[in-house]
Amino acid sequence: MRQPGLKPPPSRIRYVSPRFQGPAVLAFTTIIVAGGAIFWKLVDAEFQRVFLHAAIRGHYTFGSAFDIVRDLLVSHLAGLFIGVLLAGSALVLFLVAATRHGIGKAVASLRASADRDLSTPTGACPIGEFERFGEKIDAARSDTLVSVRKLRSEAASLAAGGISPEEFRLRWDELKQRIRGIAP
Amino acid sequence: MSGPGTAGNGSLIDRRYVIGLLLRLCVNFAGGVGLLFVILYFALSRPLPGDYAGVYLALRNLSPFLRPILAISVLVYALLACGSTSALCVYILHKVAGPLYRMELVLDQYRSGGATRTVSFRNGDQLQALAPAFNQWIGTLRRDRHRWLATMADAERHCLQDEATCRAEMEAALRRVAEDMERYR
């Protein structure tokens, strides 16, 4: 199971994963920026129209320009808040559903591995990080299956006989050593 | 292999965690909108003159500045809301990213042949079901490994007798081990 190509991982633990948190941050940022752009477009057009109308009509009862557009501004801000919140909530629920689906498959795959099924693919959802995680689990399972199959083949070959006692003893000890390497 | 529905997915992400995330986002967005309101209030709250001409001129003069005022206000809102939401996302999602990262480390360690320790996550981390599932798999592998080695050790005890018995017992043990290994598919 030992693969010389793989370096032992660093012991440092970090809890920021750009591959996982990065897309989520980008998606929230897109929602906020889109909401702001729509708000700007709508409010700009409305304010221009309202101020022109107010200038012609002469609004003596209003103390400031803010008083003229207060209701309009409040309704648009409420719209911005509700829009961004709804889109953000939908994104959160999508992320939760994707995580439950992707990691659920990974958990099911690990449980199947405990039943010695190491060949059925994890099939995690095709969202970057979860797919990669599923592939890592599959790679670990595949390595284990290859190791066990090699050991089984060696055991069967030794059991078939026709080997000199010296060679048999040598391969027997080697097989024991290799079995010890399973999940050390 | 059982589907994801049987994996106890409900426990993968706690409902309170999701509600907490939604509430924090709500407060965050409300703060952003409140800030936008305050900026626009200060930008538009200059008192209007009392006479018709004064009001007319003040409002007409406001029009050219309206677009930049709105643009800057929305830009400040977007920057602050994006910044705080990003920080919130990184802070809250680390409870999902952490266990994933930890599991990746353990899987890399396992593949490199290093000693595999029992996996456990921090309190409050999500995806808790991953750790027992992985530990269960490693536990099965270790139990099988012990059984195979015990079978071989049993056969070796017969080597105290004559050579032929020893060889026959060892070959029988190897057949049992190979048969046991066949369960891996």
Side-chain angles (χ1 to χ4, degrees):
Chain A
M1 193 173 312
R2 188 180 291 274
Q3 293 190 354
L6 285 172
K7 286 181 186 170
S11 56
R12 187 169 60 92
I13 299 287
R14 64 186 164 89
Y15 293 109
V16 175
S17 166
R19 272 191 297 260
F20 178 67
Q21 283 141 309
V25 166
L26 269 180
F28 279 113
T29 303
T30 306
I31 287 173
I32 291 166
V33 170
I38 292 167
F39 171 83
W40 177 60
K41 196 81 186 155
L42 290 177
V43 167
D44 181 47
E46 288 278 314
F47 277 17
Q48 295 285 359
R49 186 183 59 77
V50 167
F51 282 135
L52 180 68
H53 184 72
I56 294 166
R57 294 277 299 271
H59 280 271
Y60 302 109
T61 50
F62 294 109
S64 65
F66 178 78
D67 290 340
I68 298 170
V69 291
R70 182 196 287 136
D71 293 344
L72 191 66
L73 180 64
V74 168
S75 67
H76 277 88
L77 283 174
L80 172 67
F81 171 68
I82 290 168
V84 171
L85 182 66
L86 284 180
S89 302
L91 179 61
V92 167
L93 295 178
F94 169 75
L95 283 175
V96 168
T99 306
R100 279 188 178 150
H101 181 74
I103 302 300
K105 289 241 179 189
V107 170
S109 164
L110 287 171
R111 286 179 183 162
S113 303
D115 289 334
R116 299 174 184 83
D117 174 6
L118 302 174
S119 51
T120 309
T122 298
C125 67
I127 291 179
E129 186 66 358
F130 300 128
E131 190 180 25
R132 213 175 59 86
F133 184 64
E135 283 168 3
K136 280 211 161 190
I137 290 178
D138 283 346
R141 294 167 72 215
S142 171
D143 285 354
T144 310
L145 187 59
V146 167
S147 297
V148 172
R149 278 182 177 163
K150 276 184 186 163
L151 290 171
R152 185 171 67 84
S153 160
E154 176 66 3
S157 152
L158 276 176
I163 306 163
S164 68
E166 293 79 22
E167 193 191 341
F168 181 84
R169 193 71 210 189
L170 203 69
R171 284 171 63 180
W172 170 274
D173 288 339
E174 198 185 318
L175 179 66
K176 269 172 67 181
Q177 198 56 40
R178 282 168 57 193
I179 288 176
R180 282 193 193 103
I182 298 251
Chain B
M1 193 170 82
S2 53
T6 57
N9 294 356
S11 63
L12 281 174
I13 295 194
D14 195 15
R15 187 178 292 176
R16 277 184 303 179
Y17 172 79
V18 179
I19 292 170
L21 175 55
L22 287 174
L23 279 177
R24 285 183 173 110
L25 275 177
C26 182
V27 170
N28 197 44
F29 293 150
V33 169
L35 181 82
L36 187 53
F37 178 82
V38 169
I39 294 171
L40 288 173
Y41 170 76
F42 282 112
L44 301 173
S45 61
R46 226 171 72 181
L48 292 172
D51 58 327
Y52 175 80
V55 170
Y56 179 82
L57 282 174
L59 291 177
R60 292 298 288 167
N61 288 340
L62 186 63
S63 289
F65 298 107
L66 201 56
R67 189 158 286 168
I69 288 171
L70 277 172
I72 290 169
S73 309
V74 169
L75 191 66
V76 169
Y77 154 77
L79 285 176
L80 288 175
C82 286
S84 57
T85 306
S86 303
L88 186 68
C89 270
V90 170
Y91 171 70
I92 292 195
L93 292 182
H94 86 284
K95 288 184 185 298
V96 175
L100 268 183
Y101 178 73
R102 180 85 186 268
M103 280 305 300
E104 281 184 15
L105 274 186
V106 171
L107 285 168
D108 285 344
Q109 210 165 358
Y110 171 77
R111 288 190 71 200
S112 68
T116 314
R117 281 178 290 181
T118 305
V119 181
S120 62
F121 299 142
R122 302 164 300 182
N123 275 340
D125 268 351
Q126 303 301 305
L127 317 181
Q128 290 285 347
L130 266 178
F134 179 78
N135 293 336
Q136 193 185 348
W137 174 38
I138 297 298
T140 302
L141 278 173
R142 283 182 177 151
R143 274 194 301 277
D144 286 351
R145 183 192 68 193
H146 283 306
R147 194 170 55 252
W148 299 333
L149 288 171
T151 306
M152 292 175 86
D154 266 352
E156 278 173 339
R157 268 191 229 124
H158 290 90
C159 290
L160 296 171
Q161 299 171 26
D162 62 295
E163 182 75 20
T165 311
C166 169
R167 178 73 180 256
E169 285 297 330
M170 284 169 121
E171 284 177 358
L174 286 168
R175 273 191 293 275
R176 281 198 298 277
V177 168
E179 219 168 84
D180 205 11
M181 284 176 176
E182 262 177 31
R183 291 196 291 164
Y184 281 86
R185 58 192 191 279

